[in-house]
Amino acid sequence: QLQLQGSGPGLVKPSETLSLTCSVSGGSISSNYYWDWIRQPPGKGLEWIGSISYSGATYYNPSLKSRVTISIDTSTNRISLRLNSVTAADTAVYFCARRWLYYGLWGQGTLVTVSS
Amino acid sequence: DIQMTQSPSSLSASVGDRVTITCRASQDIAGSLAWYQQKPGKAPKVLLYASSNLESGVPSRFSGSGSGTHNTLAISSLQPEDSATYYCQQYYTTPFTFGQGTKLEIK
């Protein structure tokens, strides 16, 4: 059964770069799906960060586009997120999710706190 | 961006009740709407997609309806485990957007 497991530092300093990885296990990254990152600030709603296809085509939220990079490594079944120049407003739980139209499979979420 | 507005923001109901949550889009999303349930500390779980299609394994007491800009999630015969926050999401166009959430409390 396919599972998504997010990982990465739980604490990032302001102005630095947030880096997270989503590992796909129990199967391989399929060309039939997109792989997205979504975040949720504590006590708040969900915000779509961006998406990547199996072939590497990316789509970003315009509100974050200048700071975000999503990449995919099909040889290791991993999707990565980098968010530059973080501030306290980037403190959130970051989810990776598999999308075929809608999100049918989610990772467990990784809490990232931006603080000095 | 397409704005998704849910109402109410919160509601309280008893076991066995029927409740409805409304989601309005700022433009026609042609039925490209999903509903999610999120419990504290957990990732969201899809309930319905394409406005009214029940995801496999989801109890039939959950149903969805609507088209255009107006969609509704109904939960009939509420169960204690339905206590959660519910989100709608449009996947009609990027940036994909979510409603602000509706917190459902079971009395």
Side-chain angles (χ1 to χ4, degrees):
Chain A
Q1 184 175 352
L2 203 72
Q3 291 186 321
L4 306 182
Q5 178 76 37
S7 61
L11 182 64
V12 181
K13 290 182 168 56
S15 80
E16 296 190 345
T17 297
L18 178 160
S19 295
L20 296 175
T21 298
C22 180
S23 299
V24 179
S25 62
S28 64
I29 291 178
S30 168
S31 60
N32 293 331
Y33 297 96
Y34 286 83
W35 306 88
D36 291 24
W37 288 95
I38 297 152
R39 70 180 182 178
Q40 184 172 38
K44 296 188 178 180
L46 298 157
E47 179 183 31
W48 177 71
I49 299 171
S51 177
I52 191 164
S53 72
Y54 177 85
S55 63
T58 52
Y59 309 84
Y60 298 129
N61 193 323
S63 67
L64 298 168
K65 186 175 183 177
S66 63
R67 300 193 291 130
V68 174
T69 303
I70 297 175
S71 58
I72 191 169
D73 186 337
T74 55
S75 66
T76 60
N77 273 4
R78 290 180 180 177
I79 303 101
S80 297
L81 169 71
R82 288 174 58 87
L83 181 65
N84 301 328
S85 305
V86 297
T87 69
D90 296 310
T91 293
V93 174
Y94 287 76
F95 295 100
C96 55
R98 187 182 72 176
R99 176 172 59 87
W100 175 78
L101 300 180
Y102 59 94
Y103 298 107
L105 184 64
W106 295 68
Q108 86 285 8
T110 301
L111 174 61
V112 179
T113 301
V114 178
S115 175
S116 55
Chain B
D1 299 7
I2 297 177
Q3 306 301 316
M4 306 299 289
T5 303
Q6 285 181 235
S7 61
S9 295
S10 63
L11 73 157
S12 181
S14 300
V15 172
D17 284 355
R18 180 180 188 275
V19 299
T20 59
I21 299 170
T22 297
C23 179
R24 290 186 181 275
S26 59
Q27 65 184 73
D28 188 348
I29 56 173
S32 298
L33 183 109
W35 288 98
Y36 301 88
Q37 176 193 67
Q38 186 179 33
K39 296 185 177 181
K42 301 293 186 182
K45 169 191 169 186
V46 65
L47 301 173
L48 298 124
Y49 62 95
S51 186
S52 61
N53 289 270
L54 198 67
E55 177 75 348
S56 176
V58 174
S60 59
R61 64 179 180 274
F62 292 92
S63 63
S65 63
S67 62
T69 62
H70 184 210
N71 287 271
T72 301
L73 169 68
I75 313 173
S76 64
S77 190
L78 273 175
Q79 299 300 304
E81 61 266 30
D82 298 334
S83 177
T85 300
Y86 294 83
Y87 294 94
C88 61
Q89 179 237 336
Q90 66 82 15
Y91 50 85
Y92 180 70
T93 188
T94 60
F96 304 126
T97 47
F98 295 82
Q100 81 278 16
T102 296
K103 187 172 183 178
L104 172 60
E105 173 198 338
I106 309 299
K107 294 176 187 174

